[in-house]
Amino acid sequence: MIGPLRRWLPVASWAREYSRETLAGDLVAAAIVSIMLIPQSLAYALLVGLPPQVGLYASMAPLVLYAIFGTSRALAVGPVAVASLMTATAAAQVATQGSPEYLGAAIALAMLAGLLLVVMGALRLGFLANFLSHPVISGFITAAAVQIAAGQVGPLLGVKTHGESLVAILVSLVPALDRTHVATATIGVACIAFLLWARRGLGPLMLRLGTSERAADVVEKVGPAIAIAAATAAVWALGLGARGVPIVGEVPSGLPTPALPPFDATLWTKLAVPALLICIVGYVESISVALTLAAKRRQRVDPDQELIALGVADIGSAVSGGFPVTGALSRSVVSFDAGAQTPAAGAFTAVGVGLATLFLTPLLFHLPKAALAAIIIVAVLSLVDFGALRRTYAYSRADFAAMVGTILVTWAGGVEAGLLAGVAVSIFLHLYATSRPHVAVVGQIPGTTHFRNVARHAVVTDPEILSLRVDESLYFPNARFLEDLVNDAVAANPAVRHVILECPAVNTIDASALESLEAINHRLADGGIAFHLSEVKGPVMDRLKRSHFLQELSGRVHLSHFDAVASIKPDLARRTRNAPRGRVAGSSPVPNRVGSTQRRS
Amino acid sequence: MIGPLRRWLPVASWAREYSRETLAGDLVAAAIVSIMLIPQSLAYALLVGLPPQVGLYASMAPLVLYAIFGTSRALAVGPVAVASLMTATAAAQVATQGSPEYLGAAIALAMLAGLLLVVMGALRLGFLANFLSHPVISGFITAAAVQIAAGQVGPLLGVKTHGESLVAILVSLVPALDRTHVATATIGVACIAFLLWARRGLGPLMLRLGTSERAADVVEKVGPAIAIAAATAAVWALGLGARGVPIVGEVPSGLPTPALPPFDATLWTKLAVPALLICIVGYVESISVALTLAAKRRQRVDPDQELIALGVADIGSAVSGGFPVTGALSRSVVSFDAGAQTPAAGAFTAVGVGLATLFLTPLLFHLPKAALAAIIIVAVLSLVDFGALRRTYAYSRADFAAMVGTILVTWAGGVEAGLLAGVAVSIFLHLYATSRPHVAVVGQIPGTTHFRNVARHAVVTDPEILSLRVDESLYFPNARFLEDLVNDAVAANPAVRHVILECPAVNTIDASALESLEAINHRLADGGIAFHLSEVKGPVMDRLKRSHFLQELSGRVHLSHFDAVASIKPDLARRTRNAPRGRVAGSSPVPNRVGSTQRRS
């Protein structure tokens, strides 16, 4: 039984069962995730174009709030790469990076995205996320990851670049490469090399050095923290800050003061579409991670409640001066593997980040920005999946086209244009595909009651009967197609006196298709041809009964296609009387009374 | 056999069979249509906001060109009310009514619409017209007709009104009503009364006066010509022009000089979307009339060639200084009923209009504009069909919503906004409907091999087997729905060891749905549950074989749902061994070899 309290506050359902064992699992997971999250949150603040402490702010309140409202027991919420890039793009449209307005825009985006998510959750509008098809999301994430990596090459090498799209970034990056700052680039490249090695080589090395397997496993995850510590130490020891290596500098310590973002109707209007895209992309990624992890322990995730939980997390980020957050794939998996048992692990992670904000910020003064760029580059490279292009191409050309369109438009025109283009292409190609459905002229397999495509099977047809099977719902994109089809088929077969439409795959008939069926019926009647339907599904038939179509139909609606042919040519029935009487039935048979006497007056 | 000549020049297929009888029928039809068309063309020029002779220009070249390129033997091409309103709206966005730029914009719209139609015909893009669903077109025409009628109330009463939407027109009309010009209003209202009476009363009156039925029938159609003649005579005789009744005035006589419209990239860019909407709305209406009339004589209409023919007609209109044209419902029906046998009737009509342009224009000097307004109002009232709202509501709430949305947005925001809103709402509601497909948990009807919805039938289920039937194609709008569904169903039934998805109504599985099926398969496998499919259609199966899904599937693909259950629980098969073995078959059975041994390693 799920009461309203448990429904809206999932914390109520796990808090009372909280035990010492659960606590132990959650604490270990929180410790590891904190050590991952601190450098990542600083890096993603850099990616958005904000002071590093803003990343820390976005990694506290949201985690606590998700622990209260979220239904996934392992999701690690906080700043992520793609949402950070989208935030940077949107904020740059309304303010200059580095200005207070830019920070205000990022905070307003978090607030807007949060409010949109809460509204979507309350109104159960989660299906909106479905309009981002998987190839579009997949292509978008690959494109965004490449663009993020390209955007960090500048900070990594100590040169300035700018641009809201991959093309613009490359145009500003390539001519600047000869101004590479050697000391900065050395730190950056060394960090990348270490991080790539740490992923595969650090754990085994620790094992060889005699640590336990558990400890070796942990050390692997804390590569970024080690890289940051080493790079900061090197910059401090060698005095590289004074030699032009860009460093983080003064980071204010202390927790953020709760505040509301700027309420400015013009600003919010401009940020509405970007905020919607940020929250939908964030939600899609987050729910997919949550569902996958929940399935491993046969737990339940409520997609509508997840909208609310992520929305509240975003609002919490905004109120504490942070930018949009969502569920992070990499940290969630680490948290799950490390033994997180409840959302409390997220709250404990927030405590870890809070302690860092209170006590560690002085240590960040000498942190080179190139090290943060290296962390971002290595993190996003795992999101790049060009193999998906090949797999999608093999499976579906239409999905491949949507994917390629998304990638190319993202690179040429930026993240928002790319996503919107992907959605438009997916919808268009879907409508196009269903506008030309598969249609078969069918004939009877001799000696049986079965009807099959005349082009594929040896079947018997009657010159006076034209049997057509349409393998698609009939609705506006293909309504006129059906009219043309019947028009052409009848013009090409002057002997035809009966047209039968076999409908086992017709899941719906909308008003446009109904109008087309009525037009077909009247035109056929004008030419002295009767129009019949067969194997109409129950729900479709229920709806047809609410129109005048059945009264005006010149022919009849038949339970099975065999019945239709047999009622027109009774000798056919005699021919097959001794054949096995297994019937070709639609999944929802039409009630018997329909196929009776609805002849046209 | 249709050679390329006949394909691209349908005139070639009927010209050689042309006979004296065909000529007689065509000439009679052309005479009647000419007498209808001349007043209508003047009126529609007024509706667009152009000098009256432009209406005559749009009624010559297009008719001749359609006779050469068109495939309908009865379609009467020329100016029509709705396209004229759309032209006026679009031209007003780039120029002031009455200026040479305004005429240039109207001509450019005809050229653009023509070019777009030719391109659509050559590339076989006629399916684009399908995106205007029938309820949207129907609602749009009703809304546009009401708006046209409201817009003509000003000219009818001799007061000035303006506005691009019904709301704007009414706002300017209502306060102006007390400035009604009595003489003008008297002429206008008298014309309306006469025209309404002529439709029903003129024919019977002529019959009583002793004319032949044929003549009486003809006289009915020429009501507008009579009204114009009488109104002009009255204005001339009473000298009303000098008393402030707005009259047409000087109309230049002579045929138009061929010329090209202004080539101006900025102008053409601004007019591109309106031109696309004009050509699609015009095409949709035209093809529907053509198909209906062709069916009555079992003739063929080629929708792609119709695009080219209407496009060439529009280009012809532009080159001869006219505005966008299309096939007209009322005149086509009259031409058909009057015995038009070939497209030559249209060419003869053009000759009739040409003669009027050469010799009758001096007679138009005293023609009161109120009479033209009356002709427009009476003509468009026949397009208003509020009954369609009721019929659509009864049949489909989604279609009704699209229809109401189209009407309201057209009235509030104008024709372009209305059409685009209608298209957006139709597509959205379709995606929404398919995003929550009908799903049934199915069980076995005892003693048979049939499976039905557990909620509707007395069926047998097994606690270890969950059988789900989805009545919709699986694609991006419902992909995640399926994941949630299976996730919830399994969480609610802890005893389940097998999930079987019955797919007889699944016409396609796109890449998003494939990804969801893979996710479902892996998540179920993580929870120790096998995932099976049954009754997968041939084309869907062909495509699944191009992915890794079948190799990774933890369960199997079964030919029928009964086979699936029987292979999991052989005792079920024994229980029904003596039952009739009629199989529940999908429309395309899956090849036998699929359901064999693709168990997960």
Side-chain angles (χ1 to χ4, degrees):
Chain A
M1 293 296 290
I2 299 178
L5 182 69
R6 292 188 180 192
R7 160 91 201 288
W8 298 103
L9 285 177
V11 63
S13 60
W14 55 263
R16 68 182 63 183
E17 299 155 13
Y18 209 74
S19 67
R20 193 177 291 184
E21 289 72 35
T22 338
L23 176 67
D26 286 348
L27 278 179
V28 170
I32 298 176
V33 173
S34 297
I35 298 172
M36 282 181 79
L37 176 54
I38 292 165
Q40 284 192 351
S41 65
L42 300 171
Y44 292 143
L46 179 78
L47 171 54
V48 181
L50 295 172
Q53 70 272 17
V54 179
L56 295 170
Y57 298 166
S59 308
M60 289 183 277
L63 282 69
V64 176
L65 290 166
Y66 183 83
I68 297 170
F69 292 97
T71 61
S72 164
R73 301 200 160 199
L75 196 69
V77 169
V80 302
V82 173
S84 298
L85 171 66
M86 296 176 77
T87 303
T89 303
Q93 285 165 14
V94 296
T96 314
Q97 195 177 317
S99 67
E101 289 76 24
Y102 190 88
L103 173 60
I107 294 174
L109 279 166
M111 179 58 89
L112 262 170
L115 292 173
L116 286 169
L117 284 166
V118 169
V119 168
M120 282 165 66
L123 301 182
R124 305 192 161 269
L125 296 176
F127 71 92
L128 284 175
N130 297 344
F131 292 168
L132 290 182
S133 72
H134 194 276
V136 168
I137 276 284
S138 161
F140 175 71
I141 287 177
T142 289
V146 170
Q147 184 172 328
I148 291 169
Q152 295 303 313
V153 172
L156 189 84
L157 303 180
V159 301
K160 280 211 184 303
T161 62
H162 51 84
E164 303 298 332
S165 67
L166 182 67
V167 169
I169 290 167
L170 292 181
V171 163
S172 77
L173 175 66
V174 173
L177 284 179
D178 61 353
R179 294 195 297 277
T180 297
H181 190 271
V182 177
T184 307
T186 306
I187 294 171
V189 171
C191 282
I192 286 193
F194 171 75
L195 289 169
L196 290 176
W197 171 76
R199 281 197 180 174
R200 294 173 176 251
L202 193 54
L205 177 70
M206 297 298 287
L207 281 178
R208 280 200 299 279
L209 294 179
T211 61
S212 73
E213 196 161 331
R214 181 76 187 248
D217 206 38
V218 167
V219 168
E220 255 183 55
K221 312 298 180 199
V222 301
I226 298 173
I228 278 193
T232 306
V235 168
W236 171 75
L238 303 173
L240 293 177
R243 296 201 204 157
V245 171
I247 54 172
V248 162
E250 186 77 32
V251 177
S253 75
L255 299 176
T257 320
L260 285 175
F263 278 96
D264 171 347
T266 321
L267 177 72
W268 284 45
T269 310
K270 280 185 192 161
L271 296 179
V273 171
L276 183 68
L277 295 177
I278 289 171
C279 80
I280 288 185
V281 169
Y283 173 67
V284 168
E285 280 303 278
S286 183
I287 193 77
S288 142
V289 176
L291 284 170
T292 301
L293 296 180
K296 286 183 197 283
R297 291 187 190 150
R298 288 193 89 156
Q299 290 162 345
R300 217 182 149 277
V301 169
D302 175 350
D304 285 314
Q305 180 62 23
E306 282 299 288
L307 284 165
I308 292 177
L310 290 174
V312 172
D314 266 334
I315 294 172
S317 184
V319 170
S320 55
F323 50 88
V325 296
T326 191
L329 171 62
S330 58
R331 298 195 299 271
S332 298
V333 172
V334 168
S335 177
F336 183 87
D337 290 345
Q341 296 293 321
T342 74
F348 298 147
T349 305
V351 172
V353 176
L355 292 174
T357 310
L358 286 170
F359 305 113
L360 295 185
T361 49
L363 299 180
L364 298 175
F365 188 91
H366 291 285
L367 170 58
K369 289 185 175 176
L372 295 177
I375 289 173
I376 295 175
I377 290 173
V378 173
V380 298
L381 285 182
S382 65
L383 299 177
V384 174
D385 181 10
F386 284 111
L389 279 172
R390 191 179 30 74
R391 291 193 302 276
T392 306
Y393 181 80
Y395 185 71
S396 156
R397 301 293 183 276
D399 282 309
F400 175 75
M403 199 168 187
V404 170
T406 306
I407 293 176
L408 294 183
V409 176
T410 300
W411 283 347
V415 285
E416 286 160 27
L419 266 183
L420 294 175
V423 173
V425 171
S426 315
I427 293 176
F428 177 81
L429 290 177
H430 160 67
L431 295 176
Y432 178 69
T434 58
S435 79
R436 305 193 169 193
H438 180 249
V439 176
V441 175
V442 296
Q444 189 177 19
I445 297 181
T448 74
T449 60
H450 296 263
F451 287 76
R452 290 287 180 274
N453 192 339
V454 297
R456 295 196 187 186
H457 299 264
V459 292
V460 178
T461 56
D462 185 290
E464 294 195 0
I465 301 176
L466 178 66
S467 294
L468 295 171
R469 192 191 71 222
V470 181
D471 289 345
E472 187 60 76
S473 290
L474 300 177
Y475 76 121
F476 66 91
N478 59 32
R480 208 161 291 112
F481 168 88
L482 191 68
E483 291 185 51
D484 295 347
L485 180 85
V486 174
N487 183 46
D488 288 1
V490 170
N493 297 285
V496 166
R497 304 252 66 83
H498 296 270
V499 172
I500 316 173
L501 202 65
E502 193 188 356
C503 307
V506 175
N507 295 314
T508 184
I509 294 179
D510 79 352
S512 300
L514 177 69
E515 197 84 26
S516 287
L517 289 176
E518 286 173 343
I520 291 169
N521 179 47
H522 287 136
R523 288 172 196 157
L524 289 178
D526 284 342
I529 302 172
F531 186 42
H532 307 259
L533 303 181
S534 73
E535 299 183 25
V536 179
K537 295 191 166 192
V540 174
M541 197 68 201
D542 289 347
R543 198 186 248 191
L544 286 180
K545 285 180 194 156
R546 301 212 302 264
S547 74
H548 294 285
F549 177 68
L550 296 176
Q551 279 89 61
E552 292 173 8
L553 188 64
S554 58
R556 283 162 52 185
V557 179
H558 302 270
L559 195 56
S560 79
H561 201 77
F562 177 77
D563 290 349
V565 173
S567 78
I568 296 165
K569 295 265 166 170
D571 53 318
L572 273 174
R574 275 194 296 278
R575 248 193 270 155
T576 50
R577 190 182 286 162
N578 297 324
R581 263 301 278 196
R583 141 171 312 171
V584 179
S587 61
S588 306
V590 180
N592 259 321
R593 62 201 161 82
V594 173
S596 55
T597 53
Q598 284 161 340
R599 292 203 160 272
R600 205 183 186 199
S601 55
Chain B
M1 294 293 290
I2 300 177
L5 183 69
R6 291 190 179 191
R7 161 91 201 287
W8 297 103
L9 285 177
V11 63
S13 60
W14 55 264
R16 67 182 63 185
E17 300 155 11
Y18 208 75
S19 68
R20 193 175 292 181
E21 289 72 35
T22 339
L23 177 66
D26 285 348
L27 278 178
V28 171
I32 298 176
V33 173
S34 298
I35 298 173
M36 283 180 80
L37 177 54
I38 293 165
Q40 285 191 351
S41 66
L42 300 170
Y44 292 143
L46 178 78
L47 172 54
V48 181
L50 294 172
Q53 69 274 16
V54 180
L56 296 170
Y57 299 166
S59 307
M60 291 184 276
L63 283 69
V64 176
L65 290 166
Y66 182 82
I68 297 170
F69 292 97
T71 60
S72 164
R73 301 200 159 199
L75 197 70
V77 168
V80 302
V82 173
S84 298
L85 172 66
M86 295 175 78
T87 303
T89 304
Q93 285 166 13
V94 297
T96 314
Q97 194 177 316
S99 67
E101 289 75 25
Y102 189 87
L103 174 59
I107 294 174
L109 279 166
M111 178 59 89
L112 262 171
L115 293 173
L116 286 170
L117 284 166
V118 169
V119 168
M120 283 166 65
L123 301 182
R124 304 191 164 270
L125 296 177
F127 71 90
L128 283 176
N130 297 345
F131 292 166
L132 290 182
S133 72
H134 194 276
V136 168
I137 275 284
S138 163
F140 176 70
I141 287 177
T142 288
V146 169
Q147 184 172 329
I148 291 169
Q152 294 304 312
V153 171
L156 189 84
L157 303 180
V159 300
K160 282 212 184 305
T161 61
H162 52 85
E164 303 298 333
S165 67
L166 182 67
V167 170
I169 290 167
L170 292 180
V171 164
S172 77
L173 176 65
V174 173
L177 284 180
D178 60 355
R179 295 194 298 276
T180 298
H181 190 269
V182 177
T184 306
T186 307
I187 294 172
V189 172
C191 282
I192 286 193
F194 171 76
L195 290 169
L196 291 176
W197 171 76
R199 281 196 178 173
R200 295 174 174 250
L202 193 55
L205 177 71
M206 297 297 288
L207 281 178
R208 280 200 298 281
L209 293 179
T211 60
S212 71
E213 197 161 330
R214 179 76 187 246
D217 205 39
V218 168
V219 168
E220 256 183 54
K221 313 298 180 200
V222 301
I226 297 173
I228 276 190
T232 306
V235 168
W236 171 74
L238 302 174
L240 294 178
R243 297 203 204 154
V245 172
I247 56 173
V248 163
E250 187 77 31
V251 177
S253 75
L255 298 176
T257 321
L260 285 175
F263 279 95
D264 172 346
T266 320
L267 177 71
W268 284 44
T269 310
K270 281 185 192 160
L271 296 178
V273 171
L276 183 69
L277 295 177
I278 289 171
C279 80
I280 288 185
V281 169
Y283 173 69
V284 168
E285 279 304 276
S286 184
I287 194 75
S288 141
V289 176
L291 284 170
T292 301
L293 296 180
K296 287 184 196 281
R297 293 188 189 147
R298 289 193 89 156
Q299 290 162 345
R300 217 182 149 278
V301 170
D302 175 351
D304 285 314
Q305 179 63 22
E306 282 299 288
L307 284 164
I308 291 177
L310 290 174
V312 173
D314 266 335
I315 293 171
S317 183
V319 170
S320 56
F323 51 87
V325 296
T326 191
L329 170 64
S330 58
R331 299 195 299 271
S332 298
V333 172
V334 168
S335 178
F336 183 87
D337 289 345
Q341 296 295 320
T342 73
F348 298 146
T349 305
V351 172
V353 176
L355 292 174
T357 310
L358 287 171
F359 305 114
L360 295 185
T361 49
L363 299 181
L364 298 176
F365 187 91
H366 291 285
L367 171 56
K369 289 185 175 177
L372 295 177
I375 289 173
I376 294 174
I377 290 173
V378 173
V380 298
L381 285 182
S382 65
L383 300 177
V384 174
D385 180 12
F386 283 111
L389 279 172
R390 192 180 28 75
R391 292 193 301 277
T392 306
Y393 180 80
Y395 186 71
S396 155
R397 301 292 184 277
D399 281 309
F400 175 76
M403 197 168 189
V404 169
T406 306
I407 293 176
L408 294 183
V409 176
T410 300
W411 284 347
V415 286
E416 285 160 26
L419 266 183
L420 295 175
V423 172
V425 172
S426 316
I427 293 175
F428 176 82
L429 290 177
H430 160 67
L431 294 176
Y432 178 69
T434 57
S435 79
R436 304 193 169 193
H438 180 247
V439 177
V441 175
V442 297
Q444 190 177 17
I445 297 181
T448 74
T449 60
H450 297 264
F451 287 77
R452 291 287 180 274
N453 192 339
V454 297
R456 295 195 187 187
H457 299 265
V459 292
V460 179
T461 57
D462 186 289
E464 292 195 2
I465 301 177
L466 178 66
S467 293
L468 295 171
R469 192 190 71 221
V470 181
D471 291 345
E472 187 60 76
S473 290
L474 300 177
Y475 75 122
F476 66 90
N478 58 33
R480 207 161 293 110
F481 168 88
L482 191 68
E483 291 183 50
D484 295 346
L485 180 85
V486 173
N487 184 46
D488 287 1
V490 170
N493 296 285
V496 166
R497 304 253 66 82
H498 297 270
V499 172
I500 317 172
L501 202 64
E502 192 188 358
C503 307
V506 175
N507 296 312
T508 184
I509 294 178
D510 79 352
S512 299
L514 175 69
E515 198 83 27
S516 286
L517 289 176
E518 287 172 343
I520 290 169
N521 179 48
H522 286 135
R523 288 173 196 157
L524 289 178
D526 284 343
I529 302 172
F531 185 41
H532 307 260
L533 304 181
S534 74
E535 300 183 24
V536 180
K537 296 190 164 193
V540 175
M541 198 67 201
D542 288 348
R543 197 185 250 190
L544 285 180
K545 286 180 194 154
R546 300 212 302 265
S547 74
H548 294 285
F549 176 67
L550 297 176
Q551 278 90 61
E552 292 174 9
L553 188 63
S554 58
R556 284 161 51 182
V557 179
H558 303 271
L559 194 56
S560 79
H561 201 78
F562 177 77
D563 290 350
V565 172
S567 79
I568 296 164
K569 295 265 168 170
D571 53 319
L572 273 173
R574 277 195 294 278
R575 248 193 270 155
T576 51
R577 189 182 285 162
N578 298 322
R581 262 303 277 197
R583 137 172 317 167
V584 180
S587 61
S588 306
V590 180
N592 259 320
R593 62 198 159 82
V594 173
S596 53
T597 53
Q598 284 162 340
R599 291 206 160 270
R600 208 185 184 200
S601 56

